[in-house]
């Protein structure tokens, strides 16, 4: 099973979009498909094939699957947890448990983005100072 | 092996590749009641009971895919039970918690 999300480190939702794009590109690159004797149009065949492929790909769980290498299941579990943590899935689920009114949601998003930018700036300055101290300043 | 780990209970089902269930077990089925069903021990024993049932029925498992749903305490417990109590070869570990792409509206916020 292709694990696009795991391999390319995208968030799992982006990787679902990537999986869909990959499927589309594969379809298009096979060139002109002859209507294989059925009365359905070219577009309908394409669409039904596409949905078939997506459904077969476990629709949405592709990037949340981790294949176990060399029988080490514990490591695979650790990798799965890492993916979930990096994508904040637990937190998102907790937020979705209860409805959050739009006004609270806006306030929360503003707070979070502000905090993120502030922490980024501080981190940058700290790293700069660290590098300067290594250069001997 | 489907592990549904909610905040109140953990239910474990062993199914085939198409989803047809072989065995079911849950925290309540192994004797825990109410709040204890969601604990570590309950999930552990639930997976143990499934392992026993499979052994009794002589079902050989060639490869197992573990599907985890929900983030309760039973999630870890069931996984540990499968790795320690059974010798089933695990081929993949998946998380299948249903995450809506902004689907249904959740219940209203609790005001404590």
């Amino acid at each position: 099973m292709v694990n696009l999300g795991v391999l390319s480190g995208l968030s799992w939702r982006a990787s679902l979009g990537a999986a869909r794009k990959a499927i589309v590109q594969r379809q298009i690159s096979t060139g002109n498909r002859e209507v294989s004797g059925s009365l359905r149009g070219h577009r309908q065949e394409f669409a039904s094939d596409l949905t078939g492929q997506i459904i077969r790909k476990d629709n949405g769980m592709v990037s949340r699957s981790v294949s176990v290498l060399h029988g080490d299941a514990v490591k695979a579990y650790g990798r799965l947890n890492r993916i979930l943590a990096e994508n904040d899935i637990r937190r998102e689920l907790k937020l979705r448990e209860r409805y959050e009114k739009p006004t609270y949601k806006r306030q929360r998003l503003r707070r979070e983005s502000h905090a993120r930018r502030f922490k980024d700036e501080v981190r940058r300055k700290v790293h700069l100072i660290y590098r300067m101290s290594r250069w001997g300043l | 092996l489907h592990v549904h780990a909610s905040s109140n209970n953990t239910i474990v089902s062993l199914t085939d590749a198409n989803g047809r269930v072989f065995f079911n077990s849950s925290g309540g089925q192994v004797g825990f009641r109410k709040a204890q069903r969601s604990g570590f021990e309950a999930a552990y024993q639930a997976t143990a009971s499934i392992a026993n049932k499979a052994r009794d029925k002589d079902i050989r498992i060639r490869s197992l895919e573990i599907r985890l749903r929900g983030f309760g305490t039973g999630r870890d417990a069931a996984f540990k039970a499968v790795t320690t109590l059974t010798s089933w070869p695990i081929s993949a570990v998946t998380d299948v918690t249903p995450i809506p792409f902004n689907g249904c509206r959740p219940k209203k916020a609790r005001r404590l």
Side-chain angles (χ1 to χ4, degrees):
Chain A
M1 209 189 330
V2 176
N3 267 324
L4 292 171
V6 175
L7 295 176
S8 60
L10 292 171
S11 90
W12 68 276
R13 257 194 219 143
S15 75
L16 177 62
R20 287 214 173 105
K21 271 194 214 143
I23 293 170
V24 171
Q25 275 166 8
R26 233 200 327 259
Q27 291 274 358
I28 292 177
S29 67
T30 52
N32 265 335
R33 290 147 32 96
E34 282 126 24
V35 178
S36 50
S38 69
L39 290 175
R40 286 190 300 178
H42 179 74
R43 282 184 75 196
Q44 280 174 315
E45 271 194 41
F46 175 78
S48 65
D49 230 41
L50 191 61
T51 42
Q53 285 196 31
I54 290 181
I55 289 170
R56 260 180 273 136
K57 269 189 180 287
D58 247 350
N59 205 2
M61 321 302 185
V62 175
S63 48
R64 283 188 278 164
S65 329
V66 174
S67 42
V68 175
L69 307 173
H70 313 303
D72 196 350
V74 183
K75 251 200 193 153
Y77 187 60
R79 259 186 292 140
L80 178 70
N81 283 337
R82 179 121 191 251
I83 291 174
L84 298 176
E86 280 175 8
N87 287 298
D88 264 348
I89 291 191
R90 274 189 103 124
R91 198 168 67 93
E92 182 173 344
L93 235 54
K94 261 220 123 46
L95 287 171
R96 285 189 188 278
E97 248 170 63
R98 296 287 173 165
Y99 184 65
E100 183 183 23
K101 289 204 167 148
T103 157
Y104 295 136
K105 183 167 185 167
R106 280 194 299 264
Q107 293 173 355
R108 177 179 58 87
L109 291 172
R110 231 179 277 144
R111 243 185 304 146
E112 288 177 357
S113 78
H114 188 260
R116 205 177 313 136
R117 280 190 297 171
F118 183 75
K119 286 177 190 155
D120 253 348
E121 273 305 310
V122 169
R123 200 177 302 138
R124 228 178 289 230
K125 296 287 190 286
V126 167
H127 284 325
L128 179 62
I129 291 175
Y130 183 61
R131 281 186 294 163
M132 284 168 68
S133 76
R134 274 200 297 171
W135 297 333
L137 293 171
Chain B
L1 185 80
H2 286 77
V3 177
H4 178 101
S6 78
S7 50
N8 296 325
N9 199 351
T10 316
I11 75 173
V12 198
S13 320
L14 189 61
T15 79
D16 71 356
N18 288 326
R20 281 150 60 199
V21 181
F22 291 127
F23 308 111
N24 262 328
S25 188
S26 72
Q29 284 197 4
V30 289
F32 292 88
R33 289 282 173 261
K34 295 203 188 176
Q36 292 172 333
R37 294 174 307 176
S38 57
F40 186 94
E41 194 54 43
Y44 197 85
Q45 288 186 21
T47 26
S49 95
I50 282 199
N52 287 335
K53 287 183 200 173
R55 209 178 314 133
D56 291 340
K57 280 265 183 104
D58 269 335
I59 291 183
R60 278 210 59 231
I61 294 189
R62 266 175 284 130
S63 87
L64 185 72
E65 182 186 329
I66 300 186
R67 297 207 176 164
L68 303 162
R69 188 183 305 256
F71 287 105
T73 20
R75 194 179 156 110
D76 243 359
F79 181 77
K80 292 213 174 116
V82 172
T83 43
T84 58
L85 292 176
T86 69
S87 56
W88 293 334
I90 301 177
S91 66
V93 180
T94 322
D95 173 69
V96 291
T97 28
I99 299 184
F101 290 165
N102 282 356
C104 306
R105 178 169 168 144
K107 295 171 89 169
K108 69 180 181 185
R110 286 179 70 198
R111 272 170 294 219
L112 301 161

